[in-house]
Amino acid sequence: MKLSPAFLAYKLSSAFSVLAPENLPLSGTLELPVLYQTGSAATAHRVFLCTEEQIGSLSSLPEESSSLFLLCTEELPEELPAPVSIAVKSSVSAVFSFLQELFWTYDSWQKELMQARLDGKSIQHLLNLSLPVFAHPLMVVGMDFSIIAAASEEPSFFPEKVFGSLDATRPLLLSLTESSEYASVRDLDGWFRFPDHVTGLGSLCVNITQHGQSAYRLLLLDTKKDLSDSEGFLLEFLAE
């Protein structure tokens, strides 16, 4: 599965000290990492791991905007040298192992989802497969807010914290349907973030269309306040 530069930076920062710009691309375009060989050309859509000693040779490469150079260094620089997109304070071997495991995890998830669809598994099954990958509650709802399927590490999370009884949630649902935020995203394509001041819980969302109209919505709920926009492309894949 192809991962995005922003997602790689997000995941790397959970294990290493990382220097990366905030505007890294969010789309999944990158394939398995390789160790950069001095003097070789830059292949499209690859992650190249390089050392400080190789920086000089990198600067003479023709620009290949679809690839990503990741610098492994003993000390993070004050700014990123061209054409490096991410710098990590660690050894090449440690970063390479981390990225290999990361790509393997998402490749396996992709294959499991595809096989599940071929086997005619339910939406609930797809969410259950995806819960360990996202580590946040997932649900698919109709545009009338009926829950089609839901998955959470806390079995009681959804009835107690999201919708609950009809009487208790009627004011929330009414305010939600009448909000300008709800109207502005009802027919959006691609992932979007829905704010917590409307529902009390922020989320990343993707609308699912049927007969040319938004019929369902996939939600990834921000229960830990650490949900990253860099996961949006993964949610789009699950919605598909």
Side-chain angles (χ1 to χ4, degrees):
M1 183 177 195
K2 293 181 179 180
L3 303 180
S4 76
F7 184 69
L8 293 185
Y10 169 64
K11 285 296 188 180
L12 284 164
S13 64
S14 68
F16 307 99
S17 295
V18 172
L19 176 63
E22 295 182 357
N23 62 344
L24 284 172
L26 294 167
S27 298
T29 58
L30 298 172
E31 299 173 348
L32 282 169
V34 295
L35 304 180
Y36 177 70
Q37 302 299 316
T38 301
S40 62
T43 309
H45 305 297
R46 299 307 295 266
V47 181
F48 290 97
L49 274 64
C50 58
T51 63
E52 292 176 276
E53 290 74 18
Q54 295 173 314
I55 292 296
S57 63
L58 293 181
S59 61
S60 61
L61 284 174
E63 185 175 351
E64 174 51 74
S65 59
S66 63
S67 60
L68 181 144
F69 285 92
L70 192 155
L71 173 65
C72 301
T73 178
E74 294 182 0
E75 292 295 333
L76 291 179
E78 293 185 2
E79 60 182 33
L80 294 171
V84 171
S85 298
I86 302 172
V88 181
K89 184 180 178 180
S90 186
S91 65
V92 170
S93 60
V95 176
F96 185 74
S97 296
F98 181 90
L99 290 179
Q100 287 278 24
E101 184 69 22
L102 188 69
F103 274 90
W104 181 87
T105 296
Y106 289 92
D107 279 345
S108 298
W109 173 62
Q110 181 186 41
K111 291 174 183 176
E112 287 179 335
L113 287 182
M114 299 300 288
Q115 188 60 52
R117 292 302 295 140
L118 290 173
D119 294 341
K121 298 294 186 180
S122 66
I123 295 173
Q124 182 63 56
H125 183 77
L126 299 182
L127 294 191
N128 291 343
L129 285 177
S130 303
L131 183 59
V133 169
F134 287 103
H136 285 80
L138 288 153
M139 66 178 177
V140 176
V141 300
M143 300 311 281
D144 62 350
F145 305 105
S146 57
I147 299 180
I148 309 301
S152 173
E153 295 174 346
E154 300 178 44
S156 63
F157 177 84
F158 288 99
E160 291 183 1
K161 296 183 181 178
V162 178
F163 289 104
S165 67
L166 182 61
D167 289 341
T169 58
R170 185 178 289 113
L172 170 62
L173 299 185
L174 183 62
S175 66
L176 178 58
T177 55
E178 293 180 347
S179 71
S180 58
E181 286 92 346
Y182 177 79
S184 67
V185 300
R186 182 180 176 90
D187 297 310
L188 278 183
D189 292 327
W191 71 270
F192 58 91
R193 184 178 280 271
F194 201 74
D196 58 7
H197 70 266
V198 179
T199 61
L201 195 63
S203 59
L204 290 183
C205 310
V206 180
N207 291 324
I208 301 172
T209 59
Q210 192 173 46
H211 307 303
Q213 293 184 327
S214 296
Y216 306 96
R217 183 170 294 169
L218 172 63
L219 296 92
L220 180 63
L221 302 174
D222 193 6
T223 54
K224 304 172 186 177
K225 303 300 181 185
D226 64 350
L227 201 58
S228 170
D229 287 352
S230 68
E231 297 179 88
F233 79 101
L234 297 172
L235 201 65
E236 287 180 356
F237 175 74
L238 177 56
E240 290 174 4

